[in-house]
């Protein structure tokens, strides 16, 4: 006799009658990876890796390969898990990421974003709902409460300091932001995008403000500094990127320190030599960039595995060292064998958000030299509450600077 449900009493009664009972177990509910909010809800790492592999793809957005060592992160994730990564508009801005989620068709939606902190206030749809979905990674408690949404909608990932990057053919070599007014630099100075939408450029204007008597509560001196640079012909409005450097469109830029290792290598590949220096008149450590999962993510399991990977603190193998035998391991064992994203960013001269916890645990790998904050320097770091009103001022005034 085969039955679907039976109470203990009924089963006992049937047993007394000598009848064989085969109890049918209810089917396990299928995990909806678009709604799970932590690894336990995903069924553990083995289950998450299996589901992400089945999806086979991850959509990221505005991530240059030489930005904070992201190229290694992309290569390692793809090699280890066999998940193809598509990167939309690598040289885009945080504003572009937000706008894409709000307006792009389903086929163009990113799974995850990496945006400047000030742009979190824009992350709502027309009904006032967050465009992100909550998820708390395994290392959630190592992320500073100051840089994460308590419900897991977004969380800081890494940060850097503003440096002067310059082609070594430039003479004299710039050492501070005020040097950029030198007539010898005509047509040479660029920013990493429009500061009203690109966080790197926004923080560069903040640094220029610090160098010119402003503060984290007053960005106007920085805006006026670039107005002067534009008027004297030194500032050009092309985006500071590898392609534009190769084309000779600029030779000096204000850039995140964590772009240094990748940018130096990329420049060397085209026969150019560039250097990075922390300006002596403004040591600005930017707030962390922000990770979040798109509420409309087309690859929900891969998105969550990517976040677990980026926030992992593992000391492990990089992409070139991963073997076919490693790839055949169960998901949890493979995950434990590869380098975690926090250390990958550290290898790219970025400061990972869990840096303090990793130092205590002894899990932080050595960072490249030459990009450290100078000894004795007291970095200025604008908080999110300071950034938001200053960004509004910049958005209002910047069009008149570049017109």
């Amino acid at each position: 006799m085969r039955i679907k449900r039976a109470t203990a009493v009924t089963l006992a009664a049937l047993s007394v009658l000598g009848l064989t009972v085969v109890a049918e177990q209810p089917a396990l509910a299928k995990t909806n990876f678009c709604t799970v909010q932590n690894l336990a809800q995903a069924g553990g790492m083995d289950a998450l890796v299996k589901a992400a592999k089945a999806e086979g793809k991850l959509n990221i957005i505005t991530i240059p390969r030489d930005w904070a060592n992201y190229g290694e992160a992309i290569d390692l994730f793809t090699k280890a898990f066999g998940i193809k990564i598509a990167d939309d508009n690598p040289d885009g801005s945080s504003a572009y990421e937000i706008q894409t989620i709000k307006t792009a068709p389903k086929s163009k939606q990113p799974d995850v974003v990496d945006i400047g902190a000030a742009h979190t206030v824009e992350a709502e749809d027309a009904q006032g709902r967050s465009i992100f979905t909550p998820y708390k990674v395994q290392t959630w408690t190592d992320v500073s409460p100051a840089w994460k949404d308590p419900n897991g909608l977004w969380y800081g990932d890494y940060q850097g300091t503003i440096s002067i990057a310059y082609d070594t053919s430039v003479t004299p070599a710039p050492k501070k932001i005020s040097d950029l007014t030198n007539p010898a630099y005509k047509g040479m100075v660029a920013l990493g995008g429009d500061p009203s939408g690109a966080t790197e450029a926004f923080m560069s204007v903040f640094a220029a403000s610090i160098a010119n008597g402003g503060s984290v509560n007053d960005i106007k001196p920085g805006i006026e500094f670039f107005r002067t640079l534009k008027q004297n012909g030194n500032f050009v409005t092309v985006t500071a990127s590898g392609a534009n450097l190769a084309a000779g469109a600029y030779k000096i830029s204000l850039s995140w320190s964590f772009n240094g290792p990748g940018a130096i290598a990329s420049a060397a590949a085209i026969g150019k030599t560039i250097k990075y220096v922390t300006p002596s008149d403004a040591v600005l450590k930017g707030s962390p960039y922000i990770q979040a999962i798109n509420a409309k993510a087309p690859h929900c399991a891969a998105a969550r595995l990517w976040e677990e990977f980026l926030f992992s603190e593992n000391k492990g193998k990089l992409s070139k060292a991963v073997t076919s035998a490693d790839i055949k391991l169960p998901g949890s064992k493979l995950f434990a064998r590869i380098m975690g994203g926090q250390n990958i960013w550290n290898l790219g001269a970025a400061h990972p958000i869990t840096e303090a916890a990793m130092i205590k645990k002894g899990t932080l790998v050595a960072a490249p030299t030459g990009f450290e904050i100078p000894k004795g320097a007291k970095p200025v770091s604008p908080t999110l509450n300071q950034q938001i009103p200053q960004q509004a001022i910049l958005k209002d005034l910047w069009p008149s600077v570049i017109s």
Side-chain angles (χ1 to χ4, degrees):
M1 178 180 291
R2 186 173 178 85
I3 59 175
K4 287 187 176 181
R5 293 185 179 85
T7 64
V9 174
T10 303
L11 290 171
L14 290 172
S15 179
V16 169
L17 295 173
L19 297 175
T20 300
V21 178
V22 180
E24 183 177 286
Q25 299 297 322
L28 293 175
K30 185 177 180 181
T31 301
N32 182 352
F33 287 94
C34 294
T35 60
V36 299
Q37 298 184 18
N38 54 55
L39 189 61
Q41 291 181 8
M45 186 59 72
D46 286 340
L48 181 59
V49 170
K50 183 178 180 180
K53 284 184 173 182
E55 289 175 347
K57 190 176 180 182
L58 176 75
N59 293 347
I60 62 176
I61 185 170
T62 73
I63 300 295
R65 287 183 58 85
D66 58 3
W67 177 284
N69 207 22
Y70 253 117
E72 172 58 35
I74 291 168
D75 291 347
L76 178 55
F77 189 80
T78 296
K79 185 173 182 180
F81 303 113
I83 296 171
K84 182 179 179 182
I85 295 180
D87 185 6
D88 173 35
N89 193 13
D91 291 322
S93 65
S94 297
Y96 175 82
E97 298 183 59
I98 296 294
Q99 191 63 21
T100 298
I101 290 179
K102 290 182 177 181
T103 63
K106 184 177 181 180
S107 61
K108 297 291 185 180
Q109 286 290 322
D111 289 303
V112 295
V113 296
D114 186 342
I115 59 173
H119 292 274
T120 56
V121 299
E122 303 164 9
E124 292 183 346
D125 63 16
Q127 287 72 45
R129 300 170 300 192
S130 176
I131 61 175
F132 303 142
T133 191
Y135 186 81
K136 295 183 179 181
V137 293
Q138 294 180 89
T139 55
W140 180 256
T141 57
D142 289 346
V143 179
S144 168
W147 293 111
K148 62 185 179 186
D149 173 76
N151 297 314
L153 289 172
W154 54 262
Y155 18 90
D157 46 19
Y158 58 86
Q159 59 194 127
T161 56
I162 292 296
S163 300
I164 300 174
Y166 64 96
D167 188 311
T168 55
S169 67
V170 171
T171 56
K175 296 181 179 179
K176 52 188 179 180
I177 291 176
S178 60
D179 287 343
L180 303 184
T181 58
N182 191 325
Y185 301 152
K186 191 170 295 291
M188 293 186 182
V189 182
L191 288 173
D194 181 339
S196 62
T199 297
E200 178 184 44
F202 176 44
M203 288 294 160
S204 296
V205 178
F206 250 128
S209 182
I210 301 299
N212 286 275
S215 70
V216 292
N217 295 306
D218 182 13
I219 201 171
K220 288 183 180 178
I223 297 172
E224 294 309 312
F225 176 76
F226 279 97
R227 188 189 305 279
T228 299
L229 287 189
K230 181 68 165 56
Q231 289 172 347
N232 68 21
N234 285 17
F235 177 46
V236 292
T237 55
V238 299
T239 298
S241 66
N244 284 331
L245 178 69
Y250 74 97
K251 290 189 175 182
I252 304 170
S253 68
L254 292 179
S255 171
W256 287 123
S257 55
F258 56 66
N259 286 337
I264 290 170
S266 296
I270 59 172
K272 292 181 178 290
T273 303
I274 60 174
K275 287 188 177 181
Y276 274 64
V277 62
T278 301
S280 60
D281 53 356
V283 181
L284 185 139
K285 186 176 184 180
S287 58
Y289 275 77
I290 300 297
Q291 282 286 323
I293 298 174
N294 181 5
K296 296 183 286 186
H299 311 103
C300 297
R304 285 156 176 77
L305 180 60
W306 177 249
E307 297 301 328
E308 292 288 358
F309 166 65
L310 292 182
F311 285 85
S312 165
E313 301 166 2
N314 292 347
K315 281 184 175 179
K317 293 184 176 183
L318 294 172
S319 57
K320 290 182 179 179
V322 172
T323 67
S324 57
D326 294 328
I327 295 170
K328 293 177 183 178
L329 290 171
S332 56
K333 291 185 177 180
L334 172 58
F335 189 89
R337 185 160 293 191
I338 61 176
M339 184 76 77
Q342 294 290 290
N343 270 324
I344 291 174
W345 280 326
N346 192 60
L347 288 172
H351 294 276
I353 192 68
T354 65
E355 184 176 45
M358 293 171 72
I359 290 172
K360 290 181 180 179
K361 297 175 187 178
T363 57
L364 190 70
V365 299
T369 58
F371 303 96
E372 306 90 347
I373 296 173
K375 290 183 178 180
K378 295 181 179 179
V380 174
S381 187
T383 66
L384 183 57
N385 287 337
Q386 290 166 333
Q387 290 178 45
I388 292 171
Q390 298 309 309
Q391 188 181 57
I393 292 171
L394 185 142
K395 285 183 176 180
D396 182 51
L397 296 178
W398 193 253
S400 67
V401 172
I402 60 176
S403 61

